[in-house]
Amino acid sequence: MRPGPSPSDTKEPVMSEQDREREEFLRVARRAREAAAGLAPLPRAAKDAALHRIADALVAAAPEIVKANEVDVARARENGTSEYMIDRLSLTEPRIAAIADAVRAVAALPDPVGEGVRGTVLPNGLELRQVRVPLGVVGIIYEGRPNVTVDAAALCLKSGNVAMLRGSSSAHDSNTVLVRVMQQALQDGEVPADAVQLVPGTSRESVKHLMRARGLVDVLIPRGGASLINSVVEESTVPVIETGVGNCAVYVDAAADVDMALKILLNAKTQRPSVCNAAETVLVHADIADAFVPRALDALRAAGVTVHGDDRIRSHGADVVAATEEDWAAEYLSLDIAARVVDSLDDAVAHIREYGSGHTEAIVTDSQAAAKRFVALVDSAAVMVNASTRFTDGEEFGFGAEIGISTQKLHARGPMGLPELTSTKYVVVGEGHVRG
Amino acid sequence: MRPGPSPSDTKEPVMSEQDREREEFLRVARRAREAAAGLAPLPRAAKDAALHRIADALVAAAPEIVKANEVDVARARENGTSEYMIDRLSLTEPRIAAIADAVRAVAALPDPVGEGVRGTVLPNGLELRQVRVPLGVVGIIYEGRPNVTVDAAALCLKSGNVAMLRGSSSAHDSNTVLVRVMQQALQDGEVPADAVQLVPGTSRESVKHLMRARGLVDVLIPRGGASLINSVVEESTVPVIETGVGNCAVYVDAAADVDMALKILLNAKTQRPSVCNAAETVLVHADIADAFVPRALDALRAAGVTVHGDDRIRSHGADVVAATEEDWAAEYLSLDIAARVVDSLDDAVAHIREYGSGHTEAIVTDSQAAAKRFVALVDSAAVMVNASTRFTDGEEFGFGAEIGISTQKLHARGPMGLPELTSTKYVVVGEGHVRG
């Protein structure tokens, strides 16, 4: 693998600020690449020991981390940031202890590296094995919460990958200290200290360096809103795993149990409206609309949800807002929902195909045939039958942890655990075998 | 999934040739997308029947195909194309029969779609299954040989994917007839006729449409030389699987059996020099150089191979050309090889890390420790121990067929068979489960 141009390629005697930032980025990325080579062959014990040292160091450094975080929080307040976002940004000593516990939990998970995927002896006697290996250097671009800095670093380290972290500039002081504490914890161990890296700089330009670092960075995982993810997909030459945009639909089939449908819809919409697996759309079969829609509108109203409906939904409630084309495609992440009456299961599928984001769709039905058809036709990362969309989650799926929820089809789809942070390698052992 | 702008977005009353080509591309891509939805849920029997109809139709249309191919061949001759390339381009009735047999062989392979990858009952009683599903629309950009048109279409169809084929303009007449014959064979069956599509146009612009068709095309697989692959990687917003660039090295360890090393080196370099798994570099441990290099130079010379060596190799042969930096990185695809003496296994690994393409590397050694270290440190899709690099191949690995050899780490690495042409979907079945 040949890395990008070296610093000596820059001929100008005086560097601009941009050039300087790029130099600094390449220096860090090359150290990350170097660290990846040292980290990849390490056994589980070395990685777990490093994770425990990181956890201990975070707890020990909690006062220092809180102090740095206070600078971020004060700046956010000055900028008029909402209390909700301030809460997401804030680190307290108990929160840091919880973050450290999460690191220890990652240490307790099985190591995906070295796991055999295939294994066989070929007819000619060659032994063929396909084994999991780390991806290498994983770039992660994320917003807001500084706990992601530690979570992502821990998952990468456990899977033998170097993390190049690019957090929100709003959390820059917190992230800087968190990464320094992690790097210091790695000193004197087998895992190279460079295995956790913060992308230098907070400008938009610094994200671009990461996106163009093909050959130095093996994969980029943007975690955040649709606009961040779209811009990364558009500009990156490093392979990208799209995560986290969820316009999830609940389809209430003609054969649905109305009580069950109400329970699932309310849970999917209101249990935690700000997350990607919350429902943003409800589609109701025309045959059950009279029985379901009035009760659903009552329940949603009671939960403080604004319904954006088509004419047939609106005929059941005066307070239903007229839905526009934008509503069908919206990822509200708030107490809003788009609602539509459809004439058939296939019309529901067509609606989802047109407007969905391929994250999670649910059908509520007592009909085995309807469930089978919905599962077969809906092309989403997860399809729920008689269950809330909120279950699409690495913890809920039993993966122990997740680095994000992929909504693309390549490499990983749905919640990504540790195995999704690996690639594979074929190892072929012969006794002087040649092809005839 | 929201497709790109519709034709009605174009306001100008008169369209340029470029606009017209783009319109035509979008029309074809939307039909492909539509066909993908119809193809995905089809059972194996429907797909196998379609493949057999395609095979029969190709044999029946052989005279027509040969006639179209003669136009391509005549044009190639006019353009001064080499006889080697003309041979690759040429279709005869026996070759068409062989292509049809290959399609029948694909029909005989197991269907990857629907295969269970994971399956469990979660503690809360939810049934969780991860099953293989088609990728959707697969764009394939390839050079030269028109048999790829049929091979790729058959592999895509079997794995439930729609193929959008963009072959070389030199084979345009052949490809046009081949695709028409396949589409006609699909009429009246369950598989939509639009499941096989030729990208309209032969201009470079038409490749760009494919690369920018995010939302319509799910993955792009470029098959060809490094420059084609690099330009696709650089410009595509559709996720790409890189294939086929191979700068493969054979490392002759200090503990190698010299006879075995000679046999493997000769096979890796000369058995078929024009393919990606041929060796392009040989690295020789200093301790075995005196025993190995003179015999290797004799054998390579006898096989007509030009050796590009460092000073230590050149000290063993007056006819060794001085190797440059370019030689270490070269994918010759010819009877040339770069050769270097290294002081240790780790130096061989460092050379491979610096110059290799991550395709296949081989070690020849009797030392278990050396083999283990080489396998652990070399970060390539395939690592051979005492076997020729030429074994990295879907057929040799027992996959029955291959769509290409991935040299990237995401999604698929190494020879790609039918399972590598799939994604997965989580199906979760509950009884009214909601999250607490």
Side-chain angles (χ1 to χ4, degrees):
Chain A
M1 236 70 65
R2 319 196 71 196
S6 74
S8 61
D9 290 355
T10 309
K11 293 279 164 35
E12 286 87 335
V14 179
M15 277 196 289
S16 70
E17 188 49 47
Q18 275 196 5
D19 286 344
R20 212 183 302 274
E21 201 178 77
R22 179 148 191 281
E23 290 283 300
E24 175 63 11
F25 172 81
L26 287 175
R27 201 179 59 79
V28 168
R30 286 201 194 89
R31 284 166 60 170
R33 182 97 241 138
E34 196 66 33
L39 175 55
L42 290 183
R44 172 173 179 169
K47 295 185 282 189
D48 288 356
L51 290 168
H52 281 285
R53 280 203 308 280
I54 285 174
D56 294 346
L58 289 168
V59 172
E64 187 194 355
I65 297 166
V66 169
K67 214 163 151 188
N69 182 253
E70 282 167 359
V71 178
D72 287 330
V73 168
R75 193 175 48 235
R77 280 199 206 285
E78 270 170 43
N79 295 341
T81 306
S82 73
E83 277 309 307
Y84 171 73
M85 290 304 286
I86 297 245
D87 182 57
R88 279 167 58 100
L89 176 61
S90 298
L91 290 176
T92 59
E93 296 212 11
R95 283 188 180 184
I96 292 164
I99 291 171
D101 283 343
V103 173
R104 292 188 188 103
V106 170
L109 292 173
D111 186 348
V113 174
E115 192 198 326
V117 178
R118 279 187 175 110
T120 187
V121 178
L122 298 172
N124 59 7
L126 276 178
E127 290 172 32
L128 175 72
R129 282 184 298 135
Q130 185 184 23
V131 295
R132 290 199 184 279
V133 295
L135 287 164
V137 177
V138 177
I140 300 175
I141 305 174
Y142 53 103
E143 292 167 341
R145 296 185 298 165
N147 64 311
V148 174
T149 305
V150 179
D151 288 351
L155 289 168
C156 286
L157 197 159
K158 177 81 189 200
S159 51
N161 295 296
V162 169
M164 279 203 72
L165 304 161
R166 210 297 184 174
S168 164
S169 56
S170 68
H172 185 67
D173 283 73
S174 312
N175 290 341
T176 302
V177 173
L178 288 169
V179 169
R180 199 183 59 229
V181 168
M182 289 193 281
Q183 288 176 336
Q184 282 167 350
L186 294 177
Q187 302 292 346
D188 312 320
E190 286 182 83
V191 172
D194 286 332
V196 179
Q197 296 283 355
L198 198 63
V199 172
T202 56
S203 68
R204 279 199 62 82
E205 209 58 33
S206 73
V207 183
K208 287 202 178 146
H209 298 321
L210 195 56
M211 295 192 291
R212 309 299 292 184
R214 191 174 186 90
L216 290 170
V217 177
D218 293 287
V219 55
L220 222 51
I221 306 178
R223 291 176 49 153
S227 78
L228 166 70
I229 287 163
N230 285 338
S231 85
V232 173
V233 161
E234 188 67 32
E235 297 187 43
S236 182
T237 55
V238 175
V240 174
I241 301 179
E242 286 185 67
T243 69
V245 175
N247 173 14
C248 304
V250 174
Y251 165 60
V252 181
D253 185 52
D257 174 309
V258 169
D259 289 330
M260 187 194 286
L262 286 169
K263 189 173 74 158
I264 287 174
L265 174 61
L266 265 283
N267 184 261
K269 178 67 256 179
T270 67
Q271 198 243 353
R272 201 168 163 207
S274 65
V275 291
C276 62
N277 58 17
E280 307 290 14
T281 298
V282 57
L283 303 168
V284 183
H285 193 289
D287 291 354
I288 206 170
D290 286 343
F292 178 77
V293 175
R295 289 183 61 192
L297 292 180
D298 284 349
L300 289 167
R301 193 180 298 117
V305 177
T306 302
V307 178
H308 307 254
D310 71 349
D311 288 346
R312 292 203 270 182
I313 297 283
R314 297 181 78 201
S315 71
H316 292 283
D319 58 347
V320 175
V321 181
T324 65
E325 195 69 8
E326 283 67 44
D327 285 302
W328 306 132
E331 188 189 21
Y332 296 116
L333 300 174
S334 61
L335 287 174
D336 290 82
I337 195 162
R340 183 176 218 169
V341 173
V342 292
D343 290 319
S344 65
L345 183 148
D346 283 23
D347 282 1
V349 169
H351 178 101
I352 289 163
R353 194 166 285 154
E354 176 80 9
Y355 299 106
S357 64
H359 189 297
T360 301
E361 324 302 333
I363 181 174
V364 186
T365 188
D366 280 343
S367 156
Q368 181 66 19
K372 190 162 190 278
R373 187 164 177 83
F374 190 80
V375 165
L377 295 185
V378 167
D379 187 23
S380 296
V383 184
M384 304 283 166
V385 177
N386 295 336
S388 171
T389 56
R390 289 276 295 115
F391 284 107
T392 303
D393 175 273
E395 292 280 356
E396 291 293 327
F397 278 12
F399 301 167
E402 75 171 35
I403 190 90
I405 296 177
S406 165
T407 52
Q408 70 176 32
K409 293 191 190 168
L410 233 54
H411 184 74
R413 198 175 189 208
M416 296 172 62
L418 289 171
E420 283 72 24
L421 283 172
T422 64
S423 181
T424 62
K425 177 197 279 187
Y426 284 102
V427 179
V428 185
V429 180
E431 297 159 299
H433 283 67
V434 294
R435 265 183 86 171
Chain B
M1 237 68 64
R2 318 197 74 195
S6 74
S8 61
D9 290 356
T10 309
K11 294 278 164 38
E12 288 88 333
V14 179
M15 277 196 289
S16 71
E17 190 49 48
Q18 275 196 6
D19 285 347
R20 213 182 301 275
E21 201 178 78
R22 177 149 192 281
E23 291 282 301
E24 176 63 9
F25 172 82
L26 288 174
R27 202 180 58 77
V28 169
R30 287 202 193 87
R31 285 166 58 171
R33 181 98 241 137
E34 198 65 35
L39 175 56
L42 289 183
R44 172 172 179 168
K47 294 185 283 189
D48 288 354
L51 289 168
H52 281 286
R53 281 204 308 281
I54 284 175
D56 294 346
L58 289 168
V59 171
E64 186 192 355
I65 296 166
V66 169
K67 212 163 152 189
N69 183 252
E70 283 166 359
V71 178
D72 286 330
V73 168
R75 193 174 48 235
R77 281 199 206 283
E78 269 171 44
N79 295 340
T81 306
S82 72
E83 276 311 308
Y84 172 72
M85 292 303 286
I86 297 242
D87 182 58
R88 280 166 59 99
L89 177 61
S90 299
L91 290 176
T92 59
E93 296 212 11
R95 282 187 180 185
I96 293 164
I99 291 171
D101 283 343
V103 173
R104 293 186 188 104
V106 170
L109 291 174
D111 187 349
V113 174
E115 191 197 327
V117 178
R118 279 187 175 109
T120 188
V121 179
L122 298 173
N124 59 9
L126 276 178
E127 289 171 32
L128 176 72
R129 281 184 298 135
Q130 184 184 21
V131 296
R132 290 199 184 280
V133 296
L135 286 165
V137 178
V138 177
I140 299 176
I141 305 175
Y142 53 103
E143 293 168 341
R145 296 185 296 165
N147 64 312
V148 174
T149 305
V150 180
D151 288 351
L155 288 168
C156 286
L157 197 159
K158 177 80 190 200
S159 51
N161 295 297
V162 169
M164 278 203 73
L165 303 161
R166 209 297 182 172
S168 163
S169 56
S170 67
H172 186 66
D173 284 72
S174 312
N175 290 340
T176 302
V177 173
L178 287 169
V179 169
R180 200 184 58 231
V181 168
M182 290 192 281
Q183 287 178 336
Q184 282 167 351
L186 293 177
Q187 302 291 348
D188 312 319
E190 286 182 83
V191 171
D194 286 332
V196 179
Q197 295 284 355
L198 199 63
V199 172
T202 56
S203 68
R204 280 199 61 83
E205 208 58 33
S206 74
V207 183
K208 288 203 178 144
H209 298 322
L210 194 55
M211 295 193 290
R212 309 299 293 184
R214 193 176 184 89
L216 289 170
V217 177
D218 293 288
V219 57
L220 221 51
I221 305 178
R223 290 176 51 154
S227 79
L228 166 69
I229 288 164
N230 284 338
S231 86
V232 173
V233 161
E234 189 68 30
E235 295 186 43
S236 182
T237 55
V238 175
V240 174
I241 300 179
E242 286 185 67
T243 69
V245 175
N247 173 15
C248 304
V250 174
Y251 165 59
V252 181
D253 186 51
D257 174 308
V258 169
D259 289 330
M260 187 194 288
L262 286 169
K263 189 173 73 157
I264 287 174
L265 173 61
L266 265 285
N267 183 262
K269 178 67 256 179
T270 67
Q271 198 243 352
R272 201 168 163 208
S274 65
V275 292
C276 61
N277 57 19
E280 307 291 15
T281 298
V282 56
L283 303 167
V284 183
H285 193 289
D287 291 353
I288 206 170
D290 286 343
F292 178 76
V293 175
R295 289 183 61 190
L297 292 181
D298 284 348
L300 289 166
R301 193 180 297 117
V305 177
T306 302
V307 179
H308 307 254
D310 70 350
D311 289 345
R312 291 202 270 182
I313 296 283
R314 297 181 78 202
S315 72
H316 292 283
D319 57 347
V320 175
V321 181
T324 64
E325 195 69 9
E326 282 67 43
D327 285 301
W328 306 132
E331 188 189 20
Y332 295 115
L333 300 175
S334 60
L335 287 174
D336 291 84
I337 195 162
R340 184 176 218 171
V341 174
V342 292
D343 290 319
S344 65
L345 183 149
D346 283 22
D347 282 0
V349 170
H351 178 101
I352 288 163
R353 195 166 283 154
E354 176 79 9
Y355 299 105
S357 65
H359 189 297
T360 301
E361 325 301 333
I363 182 174
V364 186
T365 189
D366 279 345
S367 157
Q368 181 66 18
K372 190 162 189 278
R373 186 164 178 83
F374 190 81
V375 165
L377 296 185
V378 167
D379 188 23
S380 297
V383 183
M384 304 283 166
V385 177
N386 296 335
S388 171
T389 55
R390 290 276 294 113
F391 284 107
T392 303
D393 175 274
E395 292 281 356
E396 291 293 327
F397 279 12
F399 301 168
E402 76 171 35
I403 190 90
I405 296 178
S406 164
T407 52
Q408 71 175 32
K409 293 192 191 168
L410 234 54
H411 185 72
R413 198 176 190 206
M416 295 172 62
L418 289 170
E420 282 72 25
L421 283 171
T422 65
S423 181
T424 62
K425 179 197 277 186
Y426 285 101
V427 179
V428 185
V429 180
E431 297 160 298
H433 284 67
V434 294
R435 264 183 85 172

